[in-house]
Every structure is written in C-alpha cells, then in structure tokens.
Amino acid sequence: MAINDSNNKIVGVPVKCVAVIFGVTGLVGKELARRLLSSSSKRQWKVYGIARAPQIKETLHNPNYHFVSCDLLNPSETRQKLSPLDDVTHIFWVTWASQFPIDSPECCEENEAMMSNALNAILPRAKALKHVSLQTGTKHYISLQEQPNAKEVSYFDEQCPRVGTGHNFYYVLEDLLQERLGGKIPWSIHRPGFIMGCSHRSLYNLVGSLCVYGTICKKLNLPFLFGGTRECWEEMSIDASDARLVAEQHVWAATNEAVQSPRGQAFNAINGSGFTWKEIWPAIGTKFGLSMESLAGSDAMFDQDFTFSSAMAQKGGLWKEIVMQEGLVQTEMEELANWGFLDVLFRFPRKMLGTRHKVDGLGFTVRFQALDSILYWIDVMRQEKLIP
C-alpha cells in the first residue's frame, strides 16, 4: 500500500467499496462520510453523498467524494440522478422526510415514497450491492399516542415487539427493505437515541440548540437555565448517541459478515453510559464561558416554568449580529437551533432507554460518555466556525 505523505491519502489502491449515503449533510451522514474517507479506514472507499442541498461550507475535500443534489421525493429526478450509480456496494440510509408530524399516516407515506424512489433507481443497476444500512431510532419502541406511565422504567432491547398504536414510519421503512431486498442482500437497522453531532441541516439538533442558547446567554449575561420537568432534570430519561459511535456502528455492521443477515439485523446505537442533565448541565455552561457561580447549586439552574421557545423568541436578529461580529459561517438561528424541540425533549413524559447487550456481545466496543460527546461536538461547531 502506497501513502502520499503530502496529504496522507492512500494511493495506488483500487477502490473496492462504493458507498451511497442518503442524508450526507445530517448529523450522522457527515460523520459517516468523513469516517469512510479517512486515511485510517481499513478499506478504500468511494462515496456518493446524497442530499437536497450541500453544506453551507463544505468540509469534505477528497477526490473519492462525490456530492449529488437530489430531491428524493421527485421520482423522475431521483431516477435521472441516481441510476448512473451502478457501482454502489453499500447503501447507508440516514435521512428522513419531516414535512408531516412524526406519528401521522402522511409521514409514513412520505418516507416510504422517498426510500422507494431511491431503491427503484439503484437496485436494478447496483449488481455488486453487498449491504444496506437503515438508521431509525429508539422511538421504534414507543408510540407518541399512548398514555405514558410516568413511573414505568423500561430498557428496550432489539427483540421488543412493535407498538400497536400510532403510525411509526420506522416500521414502514423496515418492511419496505424486507420486501425489496427479498432475502438476497444483508441489511441492518440502527436505532440511536438523541444524536450528538454537528450539522446545520438537521431538524432535531441537540448540540446546535445548546450552542446557540449558550452563546446568547454569554452575550446577554443571562443565566444558563434548564427548562423542563424535574423528572427529566434529575432522572435518566434518554440515551445519548454520539454521531461518531453511530457512524462507526454503521460501518461495523456493513463490513462484518459475522453479524449480517439477509433477514435484517437490528442494533441499538447508544453511548452506553447513563446520565442526568442535573449532573452535566454545569459543565456545559462552563464550556460556553458562562460563570456558573451565580447559579450555585445545581437546583438553581432548574426552572420548570422556563421555556426556550419564549426565552429565545425574537433573538434571530441578535444571532445575525453575533455571526457578523465573530466572522462565523452565515447561518440563520433556526438552521442550528430548534427551541420547540428542546422544550419537548426536556418535558418528554416517556423514558427512552435502551440496552447495548446485543452489540456488546457481538464485539462492538465503541462507547462514549454523554458529557464528553457534547463537549467534543461543541469544539467541532467552533472549528467549523458555526459558533464563536
């Protein structure tokens, strides 16, 4: 194997794996592309990245990376742009359509149409296809339409049955893959919790929302408050999933024949260490340069009546000022932060906690602490000049 020392790229090695990443500008898609194209990758990859729009500032500069702008809800455009990709060996589906409410029939129909259009374009021509990887989430295990039991604590594993109420588009996508692949091609399902990553193209961007909130608190000398229920503040209620871990697990399952199955293999994709917001909130505030002495004692940071939507309303103009003053990449506040999402997340009445027993038993060893994940991705947001 020859190494070009000037840019540390592998040269003189034929490309053996060709990935198509649907949702390449998202939290996991960006990291997955970076991981595959890394000089430390065990294989030489060519990567097609699919999204409707590119990054505001492209961070992937590699001759083996090819971005394709495509509206997957448009069948003719999808067929025209994706049919030529006949050398694909691995499909990674890490995107979803968010036009309709998550638990609605319309959401199911839209996401099914999007994947169906992509498969119609690629499957007939990708004769060397080896694996398909589908990313969904731990919402697989609950229905938003069920009345929750506030005292019930369940740790979901991959064998938990589907929920009978509501409309979950995750089930629709699994069934579509099962049907279209026909037991001939191995495929896997990855179910992360709340993803920690860096993107300006993600609707549910937890780290981005915290970054904008912390930056504005710093600018206006506001207290760094947690607004939500006491249960979400003091108890383990969600799983964190570092985008690095999720991307690594996608690659692990896609290239490890020992864990593959033509009937589909489901894997929870979670950090593996429980956390509470009460434990880590002070360190997050300190990361943004906020003086936490004014909130001496963790409980002083908790305010059940505080909502991010109200506190950050009308702050879009201020964010533009910060972007200009700090020389940041031009973004609207809403491209990085979703205040309604934070308000719902920190008041969510169900505990969404999974187990790692299956992946641990199969030898996948990557783990992260939630706080370490958040602090790492804050640094990445700064490196990419998205926040000061």
Side-chain angles (χ1 to χ4, degrees):
M1 179 181 298
I3 300 291
N4 182 338
D5 290 333
S6 64
N7 55 15
N8 203 33
K9 296 288 193 307
I10 299 175
V11 297
V13 180
V15 172
K16 294 183 178 179
C17 297
V18 181
V20 56
I21 303 173
F22 291 96
V24 74
T25 58
L27 296 169
V28 172
K30 280 181 62 178
E31 184 62 18
L32 182 54
R34 188 205 63 78
R35 162 69 178 76
L36 293 177
L37 294 167
S38 168
S39 60
S40 63
S41 175
K42 296 179 181 179
R43 291 171 171 80
Q44 178 76 347
W45 289 85
K46 173 181 177 181
V47 175
Y48 298 111
I50 315 297
R52 280 186 296 179
Q55 299 284 345
I56 294 175
K57 181 181 179 182
E58 184 56 71
T59 57
L60 283 172
H61 303 284
N62 188 300
N64 282 333
Y65 176 65
H66 309 275
F67 178 78
V68 180
S69 174
C70 184
D71 179 2
L72 296 173
L73 287 170
N74 184 320
S76 59
E77 179 183 343
T78 303
R79 184 167 55 252
Q80 175 189 358
K81 292 187 174 181
L82 301 190
S83 292
L85 311 186
D86 57 1
D87 55 346
V88 169
T89 59
H90 295 77
I91 294 175
F92 298 93
W93 189 268
V94 292
T95 188
W96 67 289
S98 58
Q99 180 178 349
F100 297 102
I102 285 183
D103 248 17
S104 68
E106 293 83 2
C107 182
C108 292
E109 293 165 3
E110 187 178 45
N111 280 276
E112 181 178 25
M114 190 163 69
M115 177 181 275
S116 183
N117 291 339
L119 294 177
N120 288 342
I122 288 183
L123 288 184
R125 296 176 59 82
K127 302 302 183 183
L129 184 63
K130 297 179 180 179
H131 186 271
V132 179
S133 184
L134 167 65
Q135 181 174 301
T136 58
T138 52
K139 202 186 79 63
H140 177 95
Y141 303 115
I142 68 168
S143 169
L144 299 181
Q145 298 180 15
E146 279 189 344
Q147 187 66 30
N149 181 347
K151 297 187 180 298
E152 181 182 2
V153 179
S154 298
Y155 288 86
F156 299 107
D157 64 32
E158 294 84 350
Q159 300 305 312
C160 290
R162 291 181 175 183
V163 180
T165 58
H167 302 274
N168 194 323
F169 77 88
Y170 294 169
Y171 305 162
V172 174
L173 296 185
E174 287 185 17
D175 292 344
L176 178 60
L177 270 185
Q178 181 78 43
E179 175 190 345
R180 295 300 303 275
L181 298 180
K184 299 177 182 178
I185 298 171
W187 57 290
S188 59
I189 311 147
H190 302 268
R191 298 170 182 161
F194 285 90
I195 299 171
M196 315 295 187
C198 171
S199 174
H200 60 271
R201 300 287 191 204
S202 296
L203 179 62
Y204 298 140
N205 187 346
L206 178 57
V207 174
S209 300
L210 292 176
C211 282
V212 175
Y213 175 54
T215 300
I216 290 176
C217 286
K218 174 73 171 177
K219 180 73 172 178
L220 299 180
N221 196 27
L222 297 174
F224 189 64
L225 297 176
F226 175 98
T229 64
R230 186 163 291 279
E231 288 77 15
C232 288
W233 174 243
E234 295 182 342
E235 301 173 10
M236 290 188 296
S237 58
I238 62 172
D239 280 312
S241 295
D242 194 301
R244 293 170 292 176
L245 178 146
V246 183
E248 187 69 31
Q249 187 171 299
H250 275 288
V251 178
W252 169 77
T255 58
N256 185 350
E257 292 184 2
V259 303
Q260 294 177 357
S261 168
R263 296 186 300 276
Q265 277 271 40
F267 304 106
N268 289 339
I270 56 180
N271 275 8
S273 298
F275 74 100
T276 69
W277 289 109
K278 181 176 180 177
E279 292 170 343
I280 69 174
W281 198 256
I284 298 172
T286 300
K287 183 70 171 179
F288 294 124
L290 296 165
S291 175
M292 305 307 285
E293 288 82 3
S294 60
L295 296 173
S298 294
D299 268 349
M301 304 173 200
F302 169 75
D303 185 345
Q304 64 183 359
D305 297 322
F306 176 87
T307 63
F308 296 91
S309 297
S310 297
M312 295 293 107
Q314 311 304 319
K315 295 293 193 296
L318 175 62
W319 180 252
K320 289 183 179 180
E321 291 179 19
I322 294 172
V323 168
M324 291 295 293
Q325 291 171 359
E326 300 289 342
L328 304 177
V329 173
Q330 292 291 322
T331 58
E332 299 293 328
M333 184 173 70
E334 294 75 14
E335 290 180 297
L336 297 178
N338 184 335
W339 308 125
F341 163 56
L342 286 190
D343 287 334
V344 171
L345 175 63
F346 294 158
R347 290 173 173 80
F348 199 68
R350 296 288 301 271
K351 296 184 185 300
M352 294 174 61
L353 300 168
T355 73
R356 278 184 54 112
H357 297 331
K358 185 174 182 179
V359 292
D360 287 343
L362 291 171
F364 183 74
T365 59
V366 179
R367 284 175 173 263
F368 291 98
Q369 298 284 339
L371 178 59
D372 292 341
S373 294
I374 293 173
L375 299 184
Y376 171 85
W377 287 107
I378 291 172
D379 284 338
V380 173
M381 296 277 286
R382 286 174 171 158
Q383 292 165 11
E384 296 192 7
K385 300 288 286 183
L386 293 171
I387 62 169

